[in-house]
């Protein structure tokens, strides 16, 4: 399962509305792709449809779709939002990552 913090949930609802998505029926698509400083990087986008290769979760009123291949890397991850002085953005707290880069956008196992 992938969890969504309260701060991330609020920001996702706000951003989805701004982009023409409905947080009650549309999805946040979370994934992993090759690249970044540490070898793998996170992806996050909004989507209206799921595929047969997706695992779907709901946490903190946010529906999350994750392709099965990416799910193996993300199981147990918490999606958080930071709006502090050190920068704004979503943060993936991934217990599977053995190493992350300084910006937190990539990781390795």
């Amino acid at each position: 399962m992938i969890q969504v913090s309260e701060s991330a949930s609020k920001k996702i609802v706000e951003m989805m509305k701004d982009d023409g998505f409905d947080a009650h029926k549309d999805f946040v698509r979370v994934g992993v792709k090759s690249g970044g400083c540490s070898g793998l990087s996170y992806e996050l986008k909004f989507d209206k449809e799921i595929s047969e290769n997706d695992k779907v979760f709901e946490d903190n009123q946010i529906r999350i779709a994750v392709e099965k291949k990416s799910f193996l890397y993300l199981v147990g991850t918490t999606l958080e939002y930071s709006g502090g002085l050190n920068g704004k953005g979503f943060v993936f707290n991934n217990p599977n990552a053995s190493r992350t880069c300084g910006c937190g956008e990539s990781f390795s196992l």
Side-chain angles (χ1 to χ4, degrees):
M1 175 164 183
I2 295 173
Q3 296 179 315
V4 180
S5 72
E6 189 174 327
S7 61
S9 175
K10 289 178 183 176
K11 189 63 177 179
I12 288 168
V13 169
E14 177 186 319
M15 290 176 72
M16 287 182 92
K17 185 177 178 184
D18 290 346
D19 288 354
F21 291 87
D22 181 350
H24 298 291
K25 64 179 183 177
D26 297 326
F27 298 88
V28 174
R29 181 166 296 282
V30 180
V32 172
K33 66 178 181 179
S34 294
C37 310
S38 297
L40 297 169
S41 61
Y42 297 107
E43 291 184 303
L44 186 134
K45 63 182 180 179
F46 305 135
D47 202 343
K48 293 184 180 281
E49 298 182 17
I50 59 170
S51 76
E52 62 184 43
N53 291 326
D54 288 335
K55 287 190 167 281
V56 178
F57 306 95
E58 186 167 337
D59 189 48
N60 245 339
Q61 302 176 0
I62 300 298
R63 296 174 70 191
I64 304 160
V66 183
E67 188 179 37
K68 289 178 184 175
K69 289 180 187 178
S70 291
F71 178 71
L72 297 173
Y73 297 105
L74 296 172
V75 65
T77 295
T78 300
L79 180 61
E80 298 189 31
Y81 182 79
S82 174
L85 296 173
N86 292 334
K88 292 182 183 180
F90 290 99
V91 177
F92 291 82
N93 286 325
N94 186 345
N96 306 304
S98 62
R99 188 181 69 187
T100 60
C101 67
C103 65
E105 292 180 12
S106 69
F107 68 101
S108 65
L109 300 177

